[in-house]
Amino acid sequence: MDLKRMICIVLCIISVATPLVECFSFSTIFNRSGRDQEVFIKELDGIKKHFPHQHPFLWRLTQGAFLHHHSVNDNTEPAVFFLSHQHQRKTTECLAIELAILYAHNCNRRIAVFDGKDFADKDAKMRLKQVIDAAYAKGACAVVVKDFDKIDPMSTLGLYYFFENRIQSYHNKAIIFTMDLYDSMLDEQQDIADYPLKWEPFVNDYLEDSLRSRSHAMNEDKTKALLSRVTPLVGFVKPESDCMLKCSKT
């Protein structure tokens, strides 16, 4: 009998007499301690095979967002990542869900998916943060929010809570956003997303114009402060053949 199983049996016996000790909690601790870079990279390689047309820059951004969370047990800030696209909704949402499941392999692959269009009204305010908090409270450790470009601009300021706060409920969590970029420049320069020095200024200008044009309350200071955190986290998803896509159901 291995040591792990023996300890669990002992704790289960103790829990009969002491209800405060739960084997479920012990099991969760073992799952978290099993995080390592090799598992993450191996599973990410499996995802890459189903998305063969993506540029290496996208995978580097993915690793930058998530790899640290798979080598350190107590991550005090959630991993946040944005997948942008141009009229490639199916591919992008499929990839977002696969990455969320990959991140969540240490919490029984429990994820939550929300539609940004449900937070498009001006009264949404902090509702996006509230539903994400509720998903975490119910056991999800990875959340996908589709259509970031449809969310009311003032509601996007709720991202500060995830960027700046190190409260316990955000430890070892991830949020992946998708968004459509409607810009003719992408038609003219298909490879712009492959070059960080070109891509980041483009994304920053695009999002600044989008946020401020949709809400007068988004002044220059608020917009620039938000985008300073968002822009470096935005990757671009290229078209894939439908027959190559492997999309998990949620």
Side-chain angles (χ1 to χ4, degrees), residues 81-132:
F81 189 43
F82 293 78
L83 290 173
S84 66
H85 64 97
Q86 188 181 39
H87 315 309
Q88 298 297 322
R89 182 183 304 276
K90 181 178 179 180
T91 300
T92 304
E93 292 180 359
C94 177
L95 178 56
I97 289 172
E98 293 305 313
L99 291 176
I101 292 173
L102 169 57
Y103 180 92
H105 77 271
N106 281 313
C107 65
N108 299 318
R109 296 187 183 272
R110 295 186 63 179
I111 71 170
V113 181
F114 301 104
D115 196 325
K117 289 181 287 188
D118 294 334
F119 308 96
D121 59 286
K122 294 181 179 179
D123 295 327
K125 295 182 179 178
M126 298 303 294
R127 198 165 73 242
L128 176 60
K129 174 187 174 297
Q130 291 168 354
V131 298
I132 292 176

Side-chain angles (χ1 to χ4, degrees), residues 2 4 11 23 62 84 121 124 127 141 205 212 214 220 223 238:
D2 59 33
K4 173 182 171 181
L11 285 182
C23 285
T62 304
S84 66
D121 59 286
R127 198 165 73 242
C141 66
D205 292 346
R212 297 189 67 186
R214 290 186 292 123
E220 183 176 0
T223 305
K238 296 187 175 184

Side-chain angles (χ1 to χ4, degrees), residues 76-228:
T76 58
E77 294 181 1
V80 182
F81 189 43
F82 293 78
L83 290 173
S84 66
H85 64 97
Q86 188 181 39
H87 315 309
Q88 298 297 322
R89 182 183 304 276
K90 181 178 179 180
T91 300
T92 304
E93 292 180 359
C94 177
L95 178 56
I97 289 172
E98 293 305 313
L99 291 176
I101 292 173
L102 169 57
Y103 180 92
H105 77 271
N106 281 313
C107 65
N108 299 318
R109 296 187 183 272
R110 295 186 63 179
I111 71 170
V113 181
F114 301 104
D115 196 325
K117 289 181 287 188
D118 294 334
F119 308 96
D121 59 286
K122 294 181 179 179
D123 295 327
K125 295 182 179 178
M126 298 303 294
R127 198 165 73 242
L128 176 60
K129 174 187 174 297
Q130 291 168 354
V131 298
I132 292 176
D133 285 348
Y136 289 157
K138 292 179 180 178
C141 66
V143 170
V144 174
V145 181
K146 301 182 290 186
D147 294 322
F148 177 80
D149 49 295
K150 302 294 191 302
I151 298 173
D152 172 61
M154 291 300 291
S155 295
T156 64
L157 296 179
L159 291 178
Y160 280 120
Y161 284 87
F162 305 113
F163 287 134
E164 304 294 343
N165 287 309
R166 298 187 177 186
I167 60 178
Q168 185 65 38
S169 59
Y170 296 161
H171 288 199
N172 301 312
K173 302 294 194 300
I175 312 171
I176 302 173
F177 293 91
T178 71
M179 59 181 173
D180 202 339
L181 301 181
Y182 304 93
D183 196 290
S184 59
M185 186 174 179
L186 284 173
D187 296 323
E188 301 166 3
Q189 300 185 39
Q190 288 287 327
D191 64 344
I192 190 173
D194 301 341
Y195 301 96
L197 294 180
K198 294 181 179 180
W199 175 242
E200 286 195 18
F202 167 76
V203 171
N204 191 83
D205 292 346
Y206 177 88
L207 290 178
E208 182 175 6
D209 180 69
S210 174
L211 291 170
R212 297 189 67 186
S213 65
R214 290 186 292 123
S215 174
H216 297 300
M218 289 291 290
N219 59 39
E220 183 176 0
D221 289 341
K222 288 180 181 178
T223 305
K224 287 187 175 181
L226 176 64
L227 294 184
S228 69

Side-chain angles (χ1 to χ4, degrees), residues 12-74:
C12 286
I13 294 172
I14 296 173
S15 68
V16 173
T18 310
L20 294 177
V21 178
E22 296 182 8
C23 285
F24 174 78
S25 298
F26 182 74
S27 174
T28 302
I29 292 173
F30 262 113
N31 284 337
R32 289 197 181 281
S33 67
R35 287 184 175 174
D36 59 65
Q37 296 183 2
E38 291 182 3
V39 171
F40 173 81
I41 292 174
K42 181 179 179 180
E43 294 202 20
L44 181 61
D45 285 343
I47 293 175
K48 289 180 182 179
K49 293 179 181 178
H50 296 282
F51 297 86
H53 295 101
Q54 303 311 311
H55 193 272
F57 178 50
L58 175 66
W59 302 123
R60 288 200 298 272
L61 284 175
T62 304
Q63 289 198 26
F66 299 136
L67 187 57
H68 181 71
H69 276 237
H70 285 76
S71 56
V72 177
N73 286 335
D74 191 21

